[in-house]
């Protein structure tokens, strides 16, 4: 599963998981699953998430092939 | 939990089909028990209660198509796969036990009952492995 900065980005804006879910038009369960790394979003949803924060996908999600925390 | 439009439509369809199932099954049981069913009508009347059950399978498939939330859709797909594995495994094992005269005969429609039970099993497996589950059936 991919690491991501969703929780941090959400906290910076003082959004609850429900707030983020509403903005992304997904369930709160989805946001929670993505945040906790239990579910990798599809590319279209990953783009929507990144665009919501005005960031690129790589600034939100850590590429599994470059994730040093998983190889250490 | 806020129910999304696809889940609401699914619930409405299932409630309607369950009511239709009862409406078709009760007269069929009464008719066959009291020998009121003419020979020519026996097959259609016997099959009629199966149709709403087939409809529920279709409603689950429709929900899978209509669900816009990809994570919930993934949970539902996993849940139905668990249900299928659960029902088919038990049905296959029972079939061999029955073939070797080790257990009594069970009507084939119980495979559907097992499958619906398997949805509950699938929801538990989703909860255990992914941490959340969708309500279905």
């Amino acid at each position: 599963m991919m690491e991501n900065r969703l929780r941090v980005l959400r906290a910076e804006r003082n959004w609850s998981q429900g707030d983020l879910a509403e903005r992304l038009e997904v369930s709160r369960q989805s946001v929670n699953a993505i945040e906790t790394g239990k579910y990798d979003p599809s590319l279209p949803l990953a783009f929507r998430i990144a665009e919501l924060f005005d960031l690129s996908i790589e600034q939100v999600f850590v590429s599994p092939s470059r994730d040093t925390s998983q190889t250490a | 939990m806020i129910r999304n439009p696809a889940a609401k439509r699914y619930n409405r369809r299932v409630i309607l089909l369950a009511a239709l199932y009862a409406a078709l099954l009760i007269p069929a049981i009464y008719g066959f028990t009291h020998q009121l069913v003419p020979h020519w009508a026996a097959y259609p009347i016997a099959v009629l209660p199966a149709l709403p059950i087939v409809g529920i399978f279709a409603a689950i498939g429709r929900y899978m198509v209509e669900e816009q939330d990809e994570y919930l859709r993934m949970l539902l797909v996993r849940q139905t796969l668990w249900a299928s594995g659960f029902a088919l495994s038990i049905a296959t094992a029972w079939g061999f036990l029955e073939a070797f005269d080790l257990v009594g005969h069970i009507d084939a429609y119980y495979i559907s009952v097992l499958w619906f039970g398997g949805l509950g099993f699938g929801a538990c497996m989703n909860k255990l492995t992914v941490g959340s589950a969708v309500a279905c059936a």
Side-chain angles (χ1 to χ4, degrees), chain A residues 4-19:
Chain A
N4 66 74
R5 298 178 51 232
L6 210 51
R7 190 187 297 271
V8 176
L9 293 167
R10 184 170 60 75
E12 283 171 0
R13 286 155 185 79
N14 259 336
W15 291 347
S16 65
Q17 285 188 342
D19 295 333

Side-chain angles (χ1 to χ4, degrees), chain B residues 64-81:
Chain B
M64 230 176 251
V65 171
E66 290 180 355
E67 178 57 72
Q68 295 298 302
D69 188 309
E70 63 180 51
Y71 175 66
L72 297 183
R73 197 166 54 231
M74 184 272 291
L75 290 177
L76 180 62
V77 169
R78 286 172 54 106
Q79 192 175 356
T80 54
L81 286 172

Side-chain angles (χ1 to χ4, degrees), chain B:
Chain B
M1 182 181 135
I2 299 164
R3 305 291 293 184
N4 63 38
K8 280 182 187 163
R9 280 196 296 276
Y10 164 75
N11 279 342
R12 268 203 306 272
R13 286 172 189 149
V14 168
I15 290 167
L16 197 75
L17 287 163
L20 185 63
Y21 172 67
L24 292 171
L25 180 65
I26 293 165
I29 291 172
Y30 186 85
F32 277 102
T33 309
H34 293 85
Q35 296 176 339
L36 299 171
V37 181
H39 183 69
W40 63 267
Y43 283 89
I45 289 176
V47 164
L48 275 177
L51 299 182
I53 302 297
V54 173
I56 291 176
F57 293 136
I60 292 171
R62 193 82 217 138
Y63 176 38
M64 230 176 251
V65 171
E66 290 180 355
E67 178 57 72
Q68 295 298 302
D69 188 309
E70 63 180 51
Y71 175 66
L72 297 183
R73 197 166 54 231
M74 184 272 291
L75 290 177
L76 180 62
V77 169
R78 286 172 54 106
Q79 192 175 356
T80 54
L81 286 172
W82 276 111
S84 302
F86 178 81
L88 292 174
S89 300
I90 294 175
T92 304
W94 194 273
F96 278 102
L97 289 168
E98 200 177 306
F100 293 121
D101 290 327
L102 295 169
V103 294
H105 175 69
I106 288 184
D107 294 330
Y109 59 71
Y110 278 106
I111 296 171
S112 298
V113 177
L114 273 177
W115 193 83
F116 288 117
L119 287 178
F121 175 65
C124 291
M125 292 308 291
N126 273 346
K127 196 85 185 160
L128 284 172
T129 56
V130 198
S132 50
V134 282
C136 184

